[in-house]
Amino acid sequence: MNVLIFFFLFVFPLYSRQLAREYKIHSYGKSFNGFVAHLLPHEAQKLLEEDNVVSVFPNTHNKIHTTRSWDYLGLPLRLSRHSVESNIIVGLLDTGISLDCPSFNDKGYGPPPSTWKGKCVTGPNFTGCNNKVIGAKFFNLQNAPVTNLSPADDDGHGTHTASTAAGGAGGGGGLDGIGGGTARGGVARARIAMYKVCWSIMGCSDMDLLAAFDEAIADGVNVISVSLGGSPRMFFSDPMAIGSFHAMQRGILTSCSAGNDGPSTMTVQNVAPWILTVAASSTDRRFSTVVALGDGEKAAGMSINTFTPGKNMYPLISGELASNVSRDGYGNASACDYGSLSKEKVMGKIVYCLGTGNQDYVIKELDGAGTIMAVEDPSDYSTTTIIPGVYVDAFSAGKTIDHYINSTKNAQAVILKTISTRSPAPYVASFSSRGPQSITFNILKPDLSAPGVDILAGFSKLATLTGDPKDNRRNVFNILSGTSMACPHVAAAVAYVKSFHPDWSPAAIKSALMTTATPMRIKDKTAELGSGSGQINPVRALNPGLLYNISMNSYIAFLCKEGYNSSSIGIIIGTKGFNCSTIDSPQGTDGINYPSMHVQIVPSNSSISAVFYRRVTNVGFGNSTYKARVIAPEGLSIEVVPDTLKFSGLHQELSFKVVLKGPPMPEETKILSASLEWNDSKHRVRSPIVVYKPTL
Ligand SMILES: *[C@@H]1O[C@H](CO)[C@@H](O)[C@H](O)[C@H]1NC(C)=O
Ligand SMILES: *[C@@H]1O[C@H](CO)[C@@H](O)[C@H](O)[C@H]1NC(C)=O
Ligand SMILES: *[C@@H]1O[C@H](CO)[C@@H](O)[C@H](O)[C@H]1NC(C)=O
Ligand SMILES: *[C@@H]1O[C@H](CO)[C@@H](O)[C@H](O)[C@H]1NC(C)=O
Ligand SMILES: *[C@@H]1O[C@H](CO)[C@@H](O)[C@H](O)[C@H]1NC(C)=O
Ligand SMILES: *[C@@H]1O[C@H](CO)[C@@H](O)[C@H](O)[C@H]1NC(C)=O
Ligand SMILES: *[C@@H]1O[C@H](CO)[C@@H](O)[C@H](O)[C@H]1NC(C)=O
Ligand SMILES: *[C@@H]1O[C@H](CO)[C@@H](O)[C@H](O)[C@H]1NC(C)=O
Ligand SMILES: *[C@@H]1O[C@H](CO)[C@@H](O)[C@H](O)[C@H]1NC(C)=O
Ligand SMILES: *[C@@H]1O[C@H](CO)[C@@H](O)[C@H](O)[C@H]1NC(C)=O
């Protein structure tokens, strides 16, 4: 008999009490109703047929959004502070936390704010919290056989994201001296609450994620940061969408990573309109690793090489020359493939390899002294090598080294320790997931970008620097890249804005961050589908001039317009019994007061035609006049009606519409980027306008 066990989430009070009692493994109910149970398919079906059960969906697993690569960001955010900052609690749903990291020193912190209702769970490798990290819990509803059944961080990811968001200033030494300077979080005075939902053996399951949202909301966190995700799903079966909606209802904005599946389009995750979806961009600091050759030449590449070389150079050989000739034609020696090299020829030498990377693991196993990996398309972030190593451009530095090996009898080289360098203005990282999104077509995602390349932040000594068990380097800091690293920067920016404007709604804070973001330098054709409104500018966001606010009822009307029925909407918002046909359908292409404007042209050979209805709230000066300034490319006409907004008081709201027209887009054009900026000569309130033509 083939017995399948299914996990289901019921996000509603259950009618069938009997089944519930028998199979329940966890009841949500602090912030929303529902439970998780092991059920057979026919039991699930039976439940679905009952009146009060609005949805049953299977438990799936999500994963953290980091690449296994490290590099450096100078100082995260240098900001002026509001005294209430230390009352702000940043909640993170992640892999746990390590209090060994100096970022979490609580010297000078008073007791937790009086609003805090959470607690600190202890267990293996986790002895307790302090006045900086005021809460820590773990969720393993499946009873998976995990090590460290506690909030301990045996991955390092959660410690890194937590310290990026709200770590105090600590540790001037960087990672073994690389990237020295102070690493600190965006809201360095804020408090941290960690909800461990990710486990090394199984990732982060839906049910644990939902349980963590439930408790974080009830515990009184002020902003939630979630650097993980899975494939996009309709909102009623997406725990991230459901959890963050409930958070939003309590005034808590959720910041999520966009995913690391770029640069392909249609890869963005965590796309609900009430979530802040964050892309990863670079900063002005990069890492450089230099190879010194025996002939006095030098070649530079990228990596995080923590090893300090001795005085002497090492013999240098290419994979081709180190090939194991007696192997049976297996593997590509030039690329240093596993099994292709002779251990005798590699031992004690630096090996030059062509190809895609990760050969450092092969060379380590053969007792090589180091590796130079020549790649045709160097990545835009740095990777920590497990032995002395560097990635070089195959067409420039690689050629030089290859030529030197060929033309010298006793070639020699040494790989120096990594140093930090300057790099041009921000660009969107290649790995950062791109839009358009596949769930709500006419909402632009990601929303924003923040630093996510080469970020130095706290780390856990329960993990090694590369995550590889054969690595013996452990540190309380590490350098990582990923949209995972970008997300907590935005959570910190949210907390920062909130500390000045405690009365602003989550949508208002999101609008402030989006309309004041700095448009990104566009390196590839995906434009705003990669960067959203641009890179955050938290200081400007304190004083945005105008806000695009969104009420709960407008979210519900939006969901009705998107085709969600009453029961699906019931799951998302947590109440039942309303009826979409009793709600006025919102007008316009997207039907929501979003701070950016986006339309996908379907069918793709049709003319461009879209209307966006918007309403802005004046939070600048009482009397002010804003003028619309539109930038549009050829082939797209944009009319703003009216094009002047005259406010006579604070908090006054005024409406306008934006009408897009144009002929069908030419064959080769996939995207048209435009923008609307409201300007009162003191504030610039900018929204990207993006027209996208999907491939047939
Ligand atoms: C603490 O963590 C270490 C490293 O991960 C592990 O070997 C050890 O078993 C853990 N201790 C407990 C009590 O789980
Ligand atoms: C070369 O490959 C053969 C066949 O796989 C293997 O037996 C031998 O140990 C290898 N020699 C060296 C020096 O690695
Ligand atoms: C070996 O790998 C390199 C780098 O990927 C490639 O350029 C070369 O063509 C490969 N050689 C063979 C024989 O496959
Ligand atoms: C070095 O020699 C190898 C073959 O021995 C050849 O494939 C390679 O192209 C040479 N490199 C340069 C830069 O001349
Ligand atoms: C935005 O809307 C919410 C709910 O509709 C309201 O409470 C809030 O005052 C509005 N304005 C701002 C600036 O948040
Ligand atoms: C509501 O929508 C869901 C998901 O599309 C569907 O499974 C369900 O049958 C619908 N319910 C009704 C009453 O139409
Ligand atoms: C929703 O409202 C419409 C119009 O008022 C009514 O015809 C319909 O039966 C209602 N549907 C439900 C499920 O109550
Ligand atoms: C647009 O494409 C559809 C389907 O390929 C085709 O039937 C239609 O004729 C096209 N319309 C125009 C105006 O080219
Ligand atoms: C706004 O402008 C009106 C008309 O110019 C003026 O009467 C009023 O005093 C002004 N209010 C403020 C707050 O400046
Ligand atoms: C917009 O406002 C800025 C000041 O923030 C001003 O320098 C600029 O001239 C204005 N631009 C337009 C087109 O009005």
Side-chain angles (χ1 to χ4, degrees), residues 320-321 399 402-403 406:
E320 195 169 2
L321 297 174
K399 275 257 154 24
D402 199 15
H403 182 78
N406 284 1

Side-chain angles (χ1 to χ4, degrees), residues 629 677 679 681-684:
R629 190 162 66 107
E677 186 179 289
N679 196 327
S681 83
K682 295 287 192 308
H683 304 93
R684 282 170 294 138

Side-chain angles (χ1 to χ4, degrees), residues 123-126 146-150 152-154 461-463 474:
N125 281 320
F126 196 82
V146 299
T147 51
N148 289 321
L149 191 64
S150 75
D153 183 8
D154 36 32
K461 282 185 146 178
L462 294 177
R474 294 173 193 267

Side-chain angles (χ1 to χ4, degrees), residues 254-269:
T254 302
S255 171
C256 291
S257 45
N260 294 342
D261 301 318
S264 308
T265 53
M266 294 189 74
T267 48
V268 65
Q269 303 173 8

Side-chain angles (χ1 to χ4, degrees), residues 144-404:
V146 299
T147 51
N148 289 321
L149 191 64
S150 75
D153 183 8
D154 36 32
D155 181 280
H157 186 271
T159 303
H160 202 276
T161 56
S163 71
T164 298
L175 167 61
D176 284 336
I178 301 175
T182 313
R184 77 163 171 218
V187 275
R189 300 295 306 166
R191 319 291 182 122
I192 293 167
M194 174 57 67
Y195 299 84
K196 179 173 174 179
V197 295
C198 299
W199 304 89
S200 51
I201 56 161
M202 62 168 191
C204 338
S205 82
D206 286 349
M207 55 172 150
D208 292 338
L209 191 55
L210 211 40
F213 267 111
D214 190 29
E215 301 216 6
I217 295 165
D219 288 349
V221 305
N222 301 110
V223 52
I224 294 177
S225 184
V226 198
S227 290
L228 58 95
S231 357
R233 284 169 277 177
M234 298 303 279
F235 299 144
F236 56 81
S237 58
D238 178 355
M240 201 77 87
I242 296 167
S244 59
F245 195 95
H246 287 266
M248 187 231 347
Q249 285 175 311
R250 305 282 196 91
I252 307 162
L253 183 53
T254 302
S255 171
C256 291
S257 45
N260 294 342
D261 301 318
S264 308
T265 53
M266 294 189 74
T267 48
V268 65
Q269 303 173 8
N270 301 324
V271 297
W274 45 87
I275 287 175
L276 246 175
T277 313
V278 186
S281 48
S282 70
T283 67
D284 62 346
R285 282 210 212 190
R286 299 310 313 280
F287 281 123
S288 174
T289 303
V290 171
V291 184
L293 302 174
D295 63 358
E297 288 282 316
K298 283 192 172 150
M302 295 200 336
S303 70
I304 303 297
N305 177 36
T306 65
F307 302 96
T308 308
K311 279 208 181 84
N312 297 327
M313 290 207 167
Y314 298 88
L316 173 65
I317 192 170
S318 65
E320 195 169 2
L321 297 174
S323 143
N324 176 352
V325 287
S326 60
R327 78 191 196 277
D328 322 312
Y330 172 75
N332 178 341
S334 314
C336 302
D337 282 353
Y338 186 82
S340 68
L341 302 183
S342 152
K343 185 166 182 166
E344 280 152 27
K345 294 181 193 162
V346 166
M347 200 180 295
K349 298 194 182 113
I350 290 175
V351 187
Y352 173 80
C353 307
L354 299 177
T356 51
N358 292 329
Q359 290 102 335
D360 46 332
Y361 291 85
V362 175
I363 304 301
K364 177 183 167 67
E365 212 168 290
L366 300 173
D367 294 331
T371 175
I372 300 164
M373 295 165 277
V375 287
E376 294 187 356
D377 189 10
S379 76
D380 47 14
Y381 61 92
S382 295
T383 307
T384 302
T385 52
I386 196 162
I387 54 170
V390 58
Y391 290 87
V392 299
D393 185 332
F395 299 112
S396 51
K399 275 257 154 24
T400 308
I401 296 163
D402 199 15
H403 182 78
Y404 167 68

